[in-house]
Amino acid sequence: MDDSGRPRTLGARDAVRERPTLKTIAYMTGLGITTVSRALKDAPDIGAETKERVRLVANQLGYQPNRAGVRLRTGKTNVIALVLSIDEELLGFTSQLVHGISEVLGGTQYHLVVTPHSFEKDPMVPVRYILDTGSADGVIISRIEPDDARVRLMTERNLPFATHGRTDMGIVHPFHDYDNETYVYQAVQKLVQKGRKRIALLAPQSRFSFYTHSRIGFERGLTDFGATEVPMGRVTSETPLDETRAYAERLMRSAGSPDGIISISGSATIALVAGLEAAGKNLGIDVDVVSKQSAEFLNWIRPEIYTVNEDVRQAGRELAKALMARIDGVAPELLQSIAQPVWSKMGPKD
């Protein structure tokens, strides 16, 4: 402080030329470093006026705690790592998930670090790196398998984590999932109500948990509503879009082609529709399509598609809340949630 009690300005340029520290704030406010540190931590023995003055200067300087220093003092990094496959759906998934997580982390001490990887390579690599370097306090992973080696390793190493999807391996852990079984079951019901009897399911790869959930819903729906399956061969929601389009065209030109298709992926649905139209089929007349989507866009392109929404931004929020609670010691069985399908109002009117 200067003689008039105002924050110092003369010489401050030299103090803030480099990254501002607690010492910088102490210089600018005329307070001790310990007092500044406790004020920023909202310590009860520091007066409200002092806290406000310290926060004002800290904000003006753009002060951020040094992560290395925080880690040395507390053993924490204040980092949440999102390990995200670069193979995730193109249309809206990644941005919506990151947005949802960031909404929850904003205003907390945590920072989000996105760690991209390819699932076609070893999915254990980014998790091992985080564990070996201690670079995050908690991890969010997706593309979950029923017996997921990443879940087992993080459980053994006591690293808090949350999964976007469920496992089936006897380990209780935080998760948020979408009810793909109910979605596909309802989709079969919708198609049968439209008079469709030969139904194909474009499912994910069989190694993922949501493949199993999707198949259970599909088979149960076929039995309950009296429809039959038209196989999709080796095509999955992971298949390159040009290959999906070409296969859909061949399928729709063949004898016994489906009159109803259920898609687990919005981007794959675009390829499916392009293929069936290339085969001369009319959407909504010769064949009906039901698709899940992570953002409202399919009906802008084709109003005839029956669409069901998956709120990926809300999934991000739930995962972030679950992980922070787990870091704080909340029991994992209390940190599990499953979102239900929501049918879009933008689809065709029955």
Side-chain angles (χ1 to χ4, degrees):
M1 305 292 287
D2 62 17
D3 293 338
S4 64
R6 293 174 298 185
R8 288 189 179 98
T9 55
L10 292 176
R13 188 173 300 170
D14 296 331
V16 298
R17 184 172 296 164
E18 298 181 355
R19 174 175 175 159
T21 64
L22 292 177
K23 185 176 181 180
T24 313
I25 301 171
Y27 173 85
M28 296 289 288
T29 58
L31 299 170
I33 294 177
T34 301
T35 301
V36 168
S37 175
R38 293 183 60 76
L40 290 171
K41 294 176 182 176
D42 201 25
D45 59 328
I46 304 297
E49 183 179 340
T50 299
K51 291 178 184 177
E52 182 61 28
R53 180 153 49 101
V54 169
R55 288 170 184 157
L56 176 63
V57 172
N59 288 336
Q60 290 174 338
L61 295 175
Y63 169 77
Q64 292 289 338
N66 182 282
R67 289 182 188 171
V70 170
R71 184 175 175 185
L72 284 172
R73 293 193 304 272
T74 68
K76 296 186 65 176
T77 63
N78 290 341
V79 168
I80 298 296
L82 171 62
V83 179
L84 199 60
S85 170
I86 60 175
D87 308 312
E88 297 283 8
E89 177 168 344
L90 300 176
L91 298 173
F93 182 94
T94 299
S95 61
Q96 293 294 323
L97 189 66
V98 170
H99 196 131
I101 295 170
S102 299
E103 284 180 355
V104 173
L105 297 187
T108 75
Q109 73 269 35
Y110 291 107
H111 301 268
L112 178 65
V113 173
V114 178
T115 303
H117 77 100
S118 173
F119 223 95
E120 296 307 315
K121 298 179 181 179
D122 184 0
M124 294 292 289
V125 170
V127 173
R128 287 198 193 100
Y129 175 83
I130 293 167
L131 283 164
D132 292 344
T133 60
S135 53
D137 295 333
V139 178
I140 296 171
I141 59 173
S142 61
R143 316 289 275 183
I144 305 304
E145 300 181 11
D147 188 358
D148 200 300
R150 299 169 298 171
V151 167
R152 192 176 307 280
L153 179 61
M154 288 188 288
T155 300
E156 291 172 352
R157 298 278 292 271
N158 295 315
L159 176 65
F161 66 93
T163 64
H164 189 207
R166 286 166 280 171
T167 59
D168 185 20
M169 54 195 297
I171 294 177
V172 180
H173 60 83
F175 67 76
H176 178 79
D177 201 3
Y178 179 83
D179 195 342
N180 285 286
E181 178 181 345
T182 296
Y183 156 61
V184 175
Y185 182 84
Q186 291 178 353
V188 174
Q189 182 181 29
K190 172 68 72 175
L191 291 172
V192 172
Q193 288 173 345
K194 296 295 295 179
R196 308 307 186 182
K197 291 294 185 180
R198 302 186 311 278
I199 301 175
L201 172 65
L202 182 64
Q205 290 182 0
S206 59
R207 61 178 170 175
F208 296 125
S209 295
F210 74 128
Y211 166 83
T212 302
H213 304 150
S214 302
R215 287 297 311 182
I216 290 172
F218 187 56
E219 293 169 11
R220 189 160 58 88
L222 295 178
T223 299
D224 289 354
F225 304 116
T228 57
E229 178 178 7
V230 177
M232 284 294 293
R234 296 183 178 180
V235 175
T236 72
S237 59
E238 320 298 318
T239 301
L241 297 183
D242 58 339
E243 295 179 22
T244 299
R245 181 195 179 282
Y247 181 86
E249 181 177 354
R250 292 196 302 273
L251 178 66
M252 298 309 295
R253 291 185 185 277
S254 66
S257 61
D259 56 13
I261 302 175
I262 300 168
S263 174
I264 209 78
S265 159
S267 54
T269 298
I270 296 174
L272 283 173
V273 171
L276 69 88
E277 290 182 341
K281 302 295 185 179
N282 295 308
L283 185 62
I285 299 175
D286 301 310
V287 58
D288 279 306
V289 173
V290 179
S291 179
K292 189 173 69 168
Q293 60 181 358
S294 57
E296 294 269 9
F297 67 91
L298 284 175
N299 293 125
W300 298 348
I301 304 169
R302 290 291 186 275
E304 302 88 353
I305 300 173
Y306 291 95
T307 50
V308 178
N309 296 326
E310 178 180 3
D311 192 339
V312 177
R313 183 178 298 190
Q314 181 61 27
R317 296 188 194 105
E318 295 296 330
L319 288 165
K321 289 188 290 187
L323 181 53
M324 287 195 298
R326 184 63 186 136
I327 291 172
D328 290 338
V330 177
E333 59 268 21
L334 302 177
L335 305 173
Q336 301 173 338
S337 56
I338 300 176
Q340 295 302 306
V342 177
W343 287 79
S344 173
K345 297 179 181 179
M346 296 179 64
K349 307 302 179 184
D350 293 327

